[in-house]
Structures are given as C-alpha cells and as structure tokens.
Amino acid sequence: MSKVIVVTDSNSGITPDDAKKLGVEVIPMPFYIDEQMYYENIDLTQEQFYEKLTAGGDIKTSMPLVGDVTDKWDEFLKENDEIVYIPMSSGLSSSCETAYMLSQDYDGKVQVVNNQRISVTMRQSVIDAKNLAEAGKNAAEIKQILEDAKFESSIYIMVDTLNYLKKGGRITPAAAALGTLLKLKPVLQIQGEKLDAYAKERGMKKARHTMIEAMQKEVQTRFKELYDNDNFKMCIAYSDVDDETLQGWVDEVKEAFPDKELLIRPLSLSIGCHIGPGALAIAGCRK
C-alpha cells in the first residue's frame, strides 16, 4: 500500500500545533506588510495581523513561494510515496494552478486537489484526505473523491465594516460611505469558486439572522441528504471579534442547528485581509 502524506497551506486555518495533532503538514502563507514579508503562524499571529491591519498597514496576500512548496514536497517524498496537496480554491487564488503546474514534474507522486474550498471547509477537506489515506486510498483516488464533492460546501460571512471591501476595490467609495451612513452590514457568500455579495442588511442582528436562514434553506434543500445522514459538517468562523460577540453568535447557531456539533475557528487571514476584523461566518460542507 502506498504511503500517502496530506499537505495543505495555512489558508486552511490549520496551525502548526493543529497539524501535529491531525498528522498532516502545513505550508505557511506569506504576507507582505509595509513591504516586509511575514509567514502566517510562524512570525505572524492572528492578533499581530489585525493590529497591523487596523493600524492602516499596507497588507498584501501572496501565494506560497515556489521554492518553499517544492522544497517541502521533496522533503516529504523522502519518507512517503505520494503527496495529496490541498491549496485554497482556484477561484480565489492562482496558487492552486501554480501548484498543479509544479506537480507535473513529479510523475504523479504529487496530486493537487482543486476542490474549491477555503478556511473551515478547506480544513474539513484536509481531515477527509487524511482519513481516506488511512483507509488505504492512494493519492489519485483521494484527489478524485475530494474533487467530486467540490461544490458541496457553503460559507456565509457578515462583514462588520465596509472599509476593507472599499480598500480592495470590491465596492466604490461612494457605496461604502452610503453603507456606513445606513449602518448596512453586507453578507457575503463563498460557493466554491469565488466570493460574492449575498445580501445587505440594516444592522448586525438582521445580518446574522439572514445568514442562519440562508444555511437553514440549504440544509433543507441541496444538502438535505448529507445533513440528515450526518455527512455534513457545520462550522462557525470569525475575524478578530470579542468573546461576548462570538459567544452570542455560537448560541444563535446552536439554537438553529441543535443536533449538530460545531467547529469554531478563526477565518483564514487570506479572507480577513479583504473583509477586516469583526466578521462572523457560518459554514457547512460535505464530510
């Protein structure tokens, strides 16, 4: 049986400590802050990131450096036969396409999974891949299984401030100014390939209700069979919120989905960079 190792990047939200517990490997994502490079979870914590972001730092995301990726692959293949590499969704970054091109030099020993996930749903893909490897599946089989289910996930995110969407060019300055005046809270949606607008609500309470309603509708329709058969993972995610706000969101989601265990994790910094602090999210995906 082929010895398969599962590798991802820190867009999955998996920290080095998490990786040790899960038995997987994580390549840290680089960020450029005021032109200085930092590596997520190595010399850049969530707290440091949001401090620099709210202070007005010039922050840019970047895909993993080519040499970092191939050096790690070479290292892992010394003790393993195959690699399943799970980067963030190809619809949100070019890192997946780049990884696929690099993998062509590895004679099938590196299988790059493009299953259109990020953050908490991407974390579940990594766990699924590890379980499949332990069940005896080879890297190519794992890639196929994960990609067959690539659109069976959904994330809804409530943005607390419009400043970062404006800064990233996703909304105009005029729209941001009007939205701030009207106390609008955008709800964004990640359905596989990209981040899209879903709704604009007056106030946080209404936005949170809209997200829960949207997920309830999905588990009653396209995810119903998965949900009823306990093959659907429910998640809560957030970006730099206070404990009271987070606990209130957890309580709301538990009330709406009382029969499901919740994974509660911070959003990946690659998302936080574009939406800023104070965001809340609900997510679900096939497991």
Side-chain angles (χ1 to χ4, degrees), residues 31-97:
F31 285 82
Y32 289 89
I33 304 177
D34 297 327
E35 299 186 359
Q36 182 175 345
M37 188 171 71
Y38 297 84
Y39 283 100
E40 184 172 0
N41 296 321
I42 302 298
D43 53 9
L44 182 67
T45 66
Q46 287 258 336
E47 293 78 14
Q48 291 168 333
F49 173 84
Y50 286 109
E51 282 177 9
K52 294 177 184 296
L53 185 68
T54 55
D58 180 22
I59 299 181
K60 297 182 177 67
T61 57
S62 177
M63 64 181 186
L65 302 180
V66 169
D68 288 352
V69 173
T70 55
D71 286 351
K72 284 293 185 182
W73 287 355
D74 293 341
E75 177 186 334
F76 298 145
L77 285 172
K78 290 177 183 177
E79 297 183 4
N80 299 274
D81 301 313
E82 296 181 310
I83 293 172
V84 173
Y85 184 60
I86 305 176
M88 68 187 289
S89 169
S90 63
L92 300 171
S93 169
S94 60
S95 60
C96 184
E97 183 180 358

Side-chain angles (χ1 to χ4, degrees), residues 159-160 162 175 178-186 200-203:
V159 177
D160 185 50
L162 297 168
L178 181 61
T180 300
L181 180 66
L182 297 176
K183 297 183 179 179
L184 293 180
K185 301 293 183 184
K200 294 177 183 176
E201 302 294 357
R202 294 284 293 271

Side-chain angles (χ1 to χ4, degrees), residues 224-237:
K224 180 173 174 53
E225 184 176 351
L226 294 173
Y227 188 89
D228 291 347
N229 292 325
D230 200 28
N231 287 327
F232 194 72
K233 184 68 176 181
M234 295 291 301
C235 312
I236 283 175

